[in-house]
Amino acid sequence: MAENEWLAKDFYKVLGVSKDADEDAITKAYRKLARKYHPDLNKTKEAEEKFKDVSEAYDVLKDKQMRARYDAIRQFGAGGARFAGGSGAGGFDASGFSDIFSSMFGGSPMGGGSRVRFSTGGAGPDMGNIFSMFTGGAGAKSQAGFGGADYGQYGQYAQSGQYAQSAQSAPQNSPERGEDITTSIKLTFKQAFKGATVSLRSGGESFKTHIPAGVKDGQKIRLKSKGKPGKFGGASGDMYLQVQVEKSEQFSIEGCDLVATLPLTLSEAVHGAKVTLKNVDGEPVVFKVPSGTSGGSRIRVEGEGVPGKDGAFVGIAQIRVPKKSTMAVKRAAKEFDKACGADYEQEVKDLRA
């Protein structure tokens, strides 16, 4: 932004800070407004223009030298200063600037009137040096000096405010964390029970991750920093895996336990027995069934649950009888009930109540 536009823009007002605000206050105000109007966050045309204004204001006010020149030019313009050609010499309207020039010349405010004329020679003040404090230039004046036509050219240059501006680097944006993403993953029951290493993709790249043993259907797993990448040096977001576990007709997971139905004959339930049941790997596990086991009883084999956790393989007793019974079986069943006695029959009736 050229300095000739500084007179028309109040950068302090743009950032919402006072004219005596320090660097921290200016930076804090800029970051707040930049987050509000940044094109990546606010897609409106108005926000785009606001962001440009805020960035221009910050470019100038964050730099001590540029801020000093801006303040000086704003003060110079606020006093109504102007150059005008006269009869043989240029005139300068110094109303409102007596304090500035008195500090330059070491004297009291320019007395006698509001107009001061500068000649082309003599021991008068060097206007090139005076204006260099506003423009940052070397203060060199034209070969013809200040006066007549050449003075008019300098006055036109000064009035238009076409001063050179140092190139400024673009303001740094605040780091922004990347967005989180959610995706689903399907596992077999065995994978969910024992854990598994799976391949995933994020941001066009493949990576592998380990699914912990004992994961449940519907559970979410967080993978840190595997979401969308951050902006301006910000951290990446996270990935959330929505787990879907295929149902098993034989097994289920309860906490850290592997649970299955343990079929028993009537004799095994009455006398007690050692029976085997295969686990998810197809390996036999021995269950010690105590005598007098009823249907629904839970028999545990410790250390056979979710790998790496304090769980068990739990067999739920299910007493099976023949679907088709012979007369001999039926007679034996009646004899069994009679042999158990009245207390057995009453116990069963109480459980039905």
Side-chain angles (χ1 to χ4, degrees):
M1 179 182 186
E3 293 178 8
N4 64 323
E5 300 178 38
W6 286 0
L7 291 174
K9 295 209 174 187
D10 188 341
F11 292 148
Y12 294 101
K13 185 176 181 181
V14 170
L15 294 181
V17 298
S18 62
K19 289 182 173 57
D20 58 354
D22 59 17
E23 291 182 24
D24 289 340
I26 290 172
T27 300
K28 184 177 180 180
Y30 164 72
R31 288 178 176 174
K32 180 179 179 181
L33 293 171
R35 285 193 295 268
K36 181 178 180 181
Y37 296 116
H38 196 282
D40 289 342
L41 303 176
N42 194 329
K43 304 295 185 180
T44 64
K45 184 66 176 178
E46 180 184 2
E48 182 180 353
E49 295 300 324
K50 287 278 189 181
F51 183 74
K52 290 180 180 179
D53 292 341
V54 168
S55 298
E56 290 173 350
Y58 181 64
D59 280 348
V60 174
L61 299 185
K62 73 176 181 179
D63 187 285
K64 290 183 178 180
Q65 293 183 350
M66 290 190 67
R67 182 178 177 180
R69 284 157 51 193
Y70 170 74
D71 289 341
I73 289 176
R74 290 277 296 177
Q75 184 179 4
F76 188 86
R82 63 181 181 272
F83 289 94
S87 56
F92 175 77
D93 187 348
S95 58
F97 290 91
S98 58
D99 55 339
I100 299 177
F101 282 93
S102 64
S103 64
M104 294 178 184
F105 302 130
S108 60
M110 294 180 288
S114 62
R115 292 179 65 83
V116 179
R117 295 186 179 276
F118 301 98
S119 63
T120 59
D126 186 344
M127 284 302 291
N129 289 331
I130 292 174
F131 281 95
S132 68
M133 71 174 290
F134 297 111
T135 65
K141 57 187 177 180
S142 65
Q143 293 179 352
F146 295 94
D150 286 324
Y151 171 75
Q153 292 175 3
Y154 188 90
Q156 183 180 6
Y157 173 82
Q159 195 173 24
S160 65
Q162 296 173 352
Y163 309 110
Q165 180 182 16
S166 300
Q168 297 297 314
S169 60
Q172 293 185 352
N173 293 284
S174 300
E176 296 181 17
R177 182 179 178 276
E179 295 180 12
D180 295 336
I181 59 176
T182 300
T183 187
S184 60
I185 183 171
K186 291 185 178 181
L187 302 175
T188 64
F189 181 87
K190 183 175 180 179
Q191 286 177 318
F193 175 72
K194 301 192 69 174
T197 298
V198 297
S199 296
L200 301 169
R201 288 183 64 83
S202 177
E205 297 183 357
S206 298
F207 65 95
K208 292 185 177 181
T209 190
H210 181 70
I211 304 298
V215 68
K216 310 294 192 303
D217 183 61
Q219 185 174 339
K220 275 189 176 182
I221 299 175
R222 176 192 175 206
L223 302 180
K224 189 176 180 181
S225 301
K226 293 300 183 181
K228 292 185 178 181
K231 298 178 180 179
F232 315 121
S236 296
D238 299 332
M239 174 184 283
Y240 288 88
L241 293 180
Q242 185 79 46
V243 178
Q244 298 176 6
V245 180
E246 294 179 0
K247 291 184 178 181
S248 169
E249 294 181 358
Q250 185 178 359
F251 302 103
S252 64
I253 300 175
E254 295 180 4
C256 297
D257 294 337
L258 176 65
V259 181
T261 299
L262 181 64
L264 299 174
T265 67
L266 180 60
S267 177
E268 289 172 334
V270 172
H271 293 94
K274 290 183 179 180
V275 297
T276 60
L277 187 66
K278 291 182 180 180
N279 61 17
V280 295
D281 290 324
E283 298 174 349
V285 177
V286 178
F287 287 80
K288 294 181 180 181
V289 180
S291 62
T293 295
S294 297
S297 297
R298 288 176 170 247
I299 304 166
R300 299 174 62 88
V301 179
E302 300 296 339
E304 294 290 336
V306 174
K309 298 183 181 180
D310 188 18
F313 191 1
V314 179
I316 301 178
Q318 184 185 66
I319 300 173
R320 305 298 299 269
V321 297
K323 291 183 178 180
K324 293 182 179 181
S325 299
T326 64
M327 291 301 296
V329 170
K330 292 178 182 179
R331 284 195 298 267
K334 285 186 178 182
E335 291 297 325
F336 174 81
D337 290 346
K338 185 184 295 186
C340 290
D343 291 341
Y344 168 70
E345 291 184 3
Q346 187 61 45
E347 181 184 351
V348 174
K349 290 179 180 180
D350 291 340
L351 290 173
R352 294 173 185 161

